[in-house]
């Protein structure tokens, strides 16, 4: 059930409703918008007293009570009509400003990371990406620098002021990754690792949830529900291509997810054109398409020397191409009503 409170309701009145929801056997999740507060109440309506009467019992506090028909509740647009923004330091993702997160697939060395961080910042990126724990298909390939990589990301943040996004691969690393990351990335291979999603959510850090390799949109939204139902409303969805029969590209980037996620959910949608096609030569075109279709942000792999990258060399763009990309993107950002 979704309980919409009247505009300008005090914390004291909100607490009365929260207490009542708990008393009736439901778990409340509070979402505070600019003008009003919405409470999602999760519980089994077959075995608990209905919440439908809340509006009648507390007419001065409750504006409306609505059932959510969808299997995903808290991530749904029904639950929260207004688009949510995710705060990352001084930045707000999902708002008027368009954001670009950029950096190498893997953190390889201090020199590689700092050089990339400075270049992407100069070109206009606000978040630095870099994998310290890498989910590699083969166990014989570079697995990431681990904590040393996280420390380098923290150093790059200190020197450039960029926020940091990095992947959490295993539940056992949750505390360590949360200590260094401003945004926790959940990778495609772990998109339905529900225990990992719960652990990540409970850190309270913003979460970027990639779409799984063969994941249906409903499954992806339900995976997001694991984050919001564990007291973390700072969720972004990230489309990174799905596996199809096509072999010209590594994955098939599904840009239709942009309007679909916008219709179905209030959470921001981010596009990763790098894993999306596995081809550096397609990155600029895919970024333009994503911006034009209303994406809230991009996640792009950038490397000072892609040919020598320790992972995903074919899809990383050089520093020069990234700077050109940012310039070419500008008119698309303006045309889509962003800054
Ligand atoms: C990555 O961002 O480098 C990555 C491994 O992404 P994905 O989980 O989408 O494959
Ligand atoms: Mn990669």
């Amino acid at each position: 059930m979704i309980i919409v409170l009247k505009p300008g309701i005090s914390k004291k009145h909100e607490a009365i409703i929260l207490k009542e929801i708990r008393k009736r056997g439901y778990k409340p999740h509070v979402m505070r918008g600019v003008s009003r507060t919405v409470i999602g109440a999760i519980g089994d309506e077959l075995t608990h007293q209905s919440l439908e009467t809340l509006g009648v019992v507390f007419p001065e506090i409750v504006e409306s009570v609505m059932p959510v028909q969808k299997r995903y509740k808290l991530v749904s647009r029904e639950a929260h009509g207004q688009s949510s923004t995710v705060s990352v330091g001084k930045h707000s993702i999902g708002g008027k400003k368009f954001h670009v997160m950029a950096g190498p697939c893997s953190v390889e060395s201090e020199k590689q990371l700092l050089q990339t961080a400075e270049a992407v910042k100069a070109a206009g990126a606000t978040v630095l990406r870099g994998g310290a724990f890498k989910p590699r298909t083969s166990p014989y390939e570079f697995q990431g620098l681990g904590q040393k990589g996280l420390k380098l990301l923290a150093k790059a943040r200190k020197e450039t002021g960029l926020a940091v996004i990095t992947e959490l691969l295993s539940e056992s690393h949750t505390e360590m990754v949360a200590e260094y990351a401003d945004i926790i990335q959940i990778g495609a291979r772990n998109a339905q690792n529900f225990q990992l999603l719960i652990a990540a959510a409970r850190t309270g850090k913003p979460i970027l949830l990639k779409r799984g390799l063969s994941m249906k949109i409903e499954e992806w939204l339900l995976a997001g529900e694991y984050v919001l139902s564990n007291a973390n409303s700072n969720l972004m969805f990230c489309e990174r291509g799905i596996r199809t029969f096509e072999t010209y590209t590594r994955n098939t980037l599904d840009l239709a997810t942009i309007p679909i996620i916008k219709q179905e959910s209030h959470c921001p949608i981010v596009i990763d054109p790098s894993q999306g096609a596995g081809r550096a030569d397609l990155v600029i075109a895919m970024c333009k398409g994503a911006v034009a279709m209303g994406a809230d942000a991009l996640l792009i792999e950038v490397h000072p020397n892609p040919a020598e990258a320790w992972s995903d060399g074919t899809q990383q763009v050089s520093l020069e191409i990234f700077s050109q990309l940012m310039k070419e993107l500008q008119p698309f950002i303006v045309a889509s009503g962003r800054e």
Side-chain angles (χ1 to χ4, degrees):
M1 283 291 199
I2 297 300
I3 297 106
V4 182
L5 303 188
K6 292 201 160 159
I9 285 299
S10 68
K11 282 268 168 70
K12 196 175 123 212
H13 282 125
E14 183 185 303
I16 295 172
I17 301 299
L18 291 176
K19 193 170 162 203
E20 186 64 26
I21 292 171
R22 289 195 189 96
K23 199 178 100 192
R24 295 190 189 193
Y26 298 80
K27 201 171 158 202
H29 298 272
V30 182
M31 291 172 272
R32 291 192 182 86
V34 181
S35 61
R36 66 184 76 224
T37 295
V38 173
I39 304 170
I42 306 288
D44 188 351
E45 277 148 40
L46 293 175
T47 53
H48 292 99
Q49 183 188 355
S50 169
L51 292 173
E52 254 157 339
T53 54
L54 280 180
V56 182
V57 183
F58 302 97
E60 69 288 359
I61 309 177
V62 175
E63 183 163 288
S64 57
V65 180
M66 300 173 290
V68 178
Q69 311 292 353
K70 302 263 168 60
R71 286 176 78 199
Y72 42 91
K73 314 279 180 196
L74 301 169
V75 303
S76 76
R77 200 35 102 175
E78 282 174 69
H80 203 257
Q82 218 174 18
S83 295
S84 294
T85 56
V86 171
S87 295
V88 180
K90 58 182 191 296
H91 305 298
S92 173
I93 300 173
K96 183 95 177 140
K97 184 167 162 41
F98 187 81
H99 284 272
V100 177
M101 313 182 199
C105 174
S106 303
V107 178
E108 297 167 10
S109 68
E110 179 168 340
K111 185 162 171 265
Q112 171 244 20
L113 188 66
L114 289 178
Q115 192 186 348
T116 311
E118 273 153 26
V120 299
K121 185 183 179 186
T126 45
V127 181
L128 175 66
R129 65 147 288 152
F133 293 97
K134 295 303 301 177
R136 303 308 301 279
T137 301
S138 162
Y140 306 119
E141 289 166 351
F142 175 56
Q143 304 286 309
L145 296 180
Q147 192 170 19
K148 187 174 160 221
L150 295 173
K151 288 189 170 154
L152 291 177
L153 285 164
K155 183 162 190 198
R157 167 175 50 211
K158 195 157 171 242
E159 297 204 358
T160 59
L162 290 167
V164 161
I165 177 168
T166 196
E167 179 166 351
L168 172 64
L169 202 56
S170 156
E171 230 183 298
S172 63
H173 300 143
T174 308
E175 230 178 283
M176 189 206 299
V177 171
E179 190 187 324
Y180 296 95
D182 298 302
I183 305 172
I184 295 179
Q185 175 176 325
I186 300 292
R189 289 154 193 82
N190 267 319
Q192 283 184 301
N193 181 340
F194 303 120
Q195 294 308 315
L196 183 69
L197 284 167
I198 293 169
R202 290 188 176 156
T203 64
K205 292 271 173 176
I207 308 289
L208 178 135
L209 173 60
K210 296 264 195 129
R211 182 179 183 185
L213 278 73
S214 303
M215 208 177 195
K216 293 171 80 173
I217 293 172
E218 189 185 33
E219 293 167 333
W220 189 22
L221 288 158
L222 282 164
E225 192 74 13
Y226 273 91
V227 175
L228 266 72
S229 64
N230 280 282
N232 188 336
S233 52
N234 297 311
L235 173 69
M236 294 169 261
F237 288 101
C238 178
E239 161 67 31
R240 45 78 73 205
I242 46 173
R243 183 157 291 183
T244 70
F245 52 81
E246 186 53 72
T247 50
Y248 266 58
T249 48
R250 176 184 178 188
N251 292 303
T252 298
L253 185 71
D254 184 4
L255 288 179
T257 54
I258 300 167
I260 293 170
I261 292 294
K262 290 269 168 223
Q263 280 165 25
E264 297 299 317
S265 176
H266 53 90
C267 300
I269 171 84
V270 180
I271 295 293
D272 173 348
S274 308
Q275 330 299 320
R279 286 175 50 168
D281 62 327
L282 303 182
V283 165
I284 295 185
M286 288 185 294
C287 288
K288 288 176 179 171
V291 175
M293 286 180 73
D296 294 296
L298 292 165
L299 180 69
I300 307 171
E301 288 188 345
V302 184
H303 193 286
N305 185 358
E308 306 234 310
W310 296 6
S311 61
D312 286 352
T314 60
Q315 66 194 35
Q316 305 205 55
V317 294
S318 65
L319 308 182
E320 297 74 26
I321 298 287
F322 181 72
S323 154
Q324 180 194 332
L325 182 164
M326 293 296 275
K327 288 194 192 98
E328 288 190 29
L329 222 47
Q330 203 50 40
F332 288 83
I333 292 172
V334 174
S336 71
R338 309 260 184 163
E339 286 163 3

